[in-house]
Amino acid sequence: MEVYTTENEQVDAVRHFFAENGKALAIGIVLGIAALGGWRYWQSHENTALTEASASFQQASAALVDNKADSVANLEKFAQSNTNSYGVFAALQLADHFAQAKDFANAEKQLTLASQHAKDDNLLSMVNYRLARVQLQENKLDDALKTLDNVKGDGWMAMQQEVRGDVLLAKGDTKGARDAYSKGLDSKPSQTLLTMLRMKLNNLSS
């Protein structure tokens, strides 16, 4: 690195630098400003899009709750066209709607869509947990076990193991079901789930 000992030498060095690099610096500054402006525009656009999605979701969701005509079709359209969290929430609500009607095929369809769009790990675990339960109802036992592998996080362990035990029991694997229920008990479940897991273990022993 060159060292300049006098003020005049420093000024001359700066002038020389800008003479050689001034054009490149100017272009860099312009590009930097353009990028910043583009980033701010993108953020503004994203915020506007999310606000609009929120309003549309609330409207479509309320229509489903009120059993209004075409409410299912409208919410399905919303879920398919929105890849953000609101689209996931719409698919989850539709899945609950279909599951209550015992239309498990459509419930699975909506939960599969939700799993493709969910970006938050905790939300994705919830979607897969519900999907595994629906697949159990459909007797898609191997699919349910694979889905349960995607239910991750300490907070989901007890619930995941309960459903895993149910699936293994449906497959005739009593030992595997007992091990799963026991792991669920060791995972600090809620009081309600604790009681349920103990009851299921006791039923295996009787």
Side-chain angles (χ1 to χ4, degrees):
M1 179 181 296
E2 294 185 36
V3 179
Y4 301 98
T5 56
T6 70
E7 184 177 340
N8 288 335
E9 287 178 337
Q10 292 173 357
V11 171
D12 288 340
V14 170
R15 287 175 179 170
H16 181 69
F17 175 82
F18 276 101
E20 291 186 346
N21 302 285
K23 185 176 180 180
L25 286 173
I27 293 174
I29 291 170
V30 170
L31 289 175
I33 292 173
L36 180 59
W39 170 249
R40 288 178 176 172
Y41 170 80
W42 182 83
Q43 283 187 313
S44 176
H45 174 74
E46 284 293 295
N47 290 335
T48 300
L50 285 175
T51 300
E52 293 174 352
S54 174
S56 298
F57 168 70
Q58 291 176 15
Q59 183 178 4
S61 175
L64 182 65
V65 172
D66 295 338
N67 292 314
K68 292 183 178 179
D70 298 328
S71 60
V72 172
N74 289 335
L75 197 56
E76 283 181 318
K77 183 179 179 180
F78 178 89
Q80 291 170 357
S81 60
N82 285 270
T83 60
N84 52 41
S85 295
Y86 292 108
V88 176
F89 297 150
L92 284 169
Q93 187 172 1
L94 283 165
D96 285 342
H97 170 80
F98 287 127
Q100 289 175 16
K102 299 192 182 303
D103 184 355
F104 297 114
N106 269 320
E108 181 181 11
K109 177 182 176 182
Q110 292 300 324
L111 289 167
T112 300
L113 177 65
S115 70
Q116 294 168 351
H117 293 167
K119 299 176 178 64
D120 176 79
D121 290 342
N122 196 48
L123 181 59
L124 183 59
S125 288
M126 181 179 71
V127 170
N128 283 311
Y129 168 73
R130 294 188 181 185
L131 177 57
R133 292 179 61 183
V134 166
Q135 289 170 331
L136 172 59
Q137 292 294 326
E138 296 179 289
N139 205 38
K140 295 182 177 180
L141 304 181
D142 290 333
D143 288 344
L145 289 175
K146 290 179 182 177
T147 300
L148 285 169
D149 289 337
N150 295 318
V151 180
K152 301 175 181 179
D154 293 341
W156 292 98
M157 183 60 65
M159 290 181 287
Q160 189 243 43
Q161 290 297 328
E162 183 203 12
V163 179
R164 185 178 296 278
D166 292 347
V167 174
L168 291 172
L169 188 60
K171 287 172 67 71
D173 185 357
T174 304
K175 181 181 181 303
R178 182 180 292 108
D179 290 343
Y181 294 147
S182 297
K183 287 180 181 178
L185 282 173
D186 293 337
S187 301
K188 299 179 180 180
S190 65
Q191 187 61 45
T192 301
L193 188 55
L194 177 69
T195 302
M196 183 66 67
L197 287 166
R198 283 177 175 170
M199 182 182 71
K200 290 182 176 183
L201 272 174
N202 290 336
N203 287 340
L204 290 179
S205 301
S206 59

